[in-house]
Amino acid sequence: MRERRKNFRVEWNSAAKIYDRDGRFVRQCTVRNFSNGGAKIIGLDPNTVPDEFILRISPHFRAMRCHVIRRSVDGFGVEFTGLANGTSEPALGQRQKSFC
């Protein structure tokens, strides 16, 4: 069978964190595999995940903005849409302070 993926995938099976688009922690998940272009995520109900979010695979990887492109019973596939610019590790998962 011919491989149709644009990017080579790496089997990973590692804990990861999902944040909403504003950088607030939402939940943990497991990244089954990933490539330069996207990832397969398992470990939670795919229907409870927003279409757009930020994914941090580990503290050693940059946070990536993601768009869900496929949902199935055992997980969902995402496309990386860019770096989560302006969101450092300490900023992710913390509430933003208001200075009014």
Side-chain angles (χ1 to χ4, degrees):
M1 190 156 111
R2 191 179 135 218
E3 178 64 49
R4 297 183 300 172
R5 292 185 174 123
K6 294 178 186 175
N7 298 298
F8 177 76
R9 290 207 175 243
V10 175
E11 294 298 319
W12 197 253
N13 292 317
S14 178
K17 293 179 181 178
I18 292 177
Y19 301 86
D20 68 12
R21 292 188 302 182
D22 296 323
R24 292 182 297 252
F25 178 74
V26 177
R27 60 179 43 149
Q28 292 195 350
C29 63
T30 301
V31 173
R32 168 66 50 95
N33 61 50
F34 73 96
S35 71
N36 288 337
K40 180 175 182 179
I41 299 172
I42 61 171
L44 47 93
D45 181 353
N47 296 317
T48 64
V49 177
D51 290 337
E52 307 265 334
F53 60 87
I54 296 170
L55 176 70
R56 177 163 309 267
I57 296 175
S58 82
H60 304 291
F61 285 84
R62 288 187 159 168
M64 299 295 292
R65 293 198 176 276
C66 298
H67 176 75
V68 176
I69 56 172
R70 184 178 311 107
R71 296 176 196 263
S72 64
V73 175
D74 67 335
F76 56 99
V78 298
E79 172 183 43
F80 297 141
T81 58
L83 294 175
N85 294 330
T87 53
S88 64
E89 178 66 28
L92 287 174
Q94 294 181 358
R95 296 181 129 178
Q96 300 295 322
K97 293 182 180 179
S98 176
F99 297 100
C100 296

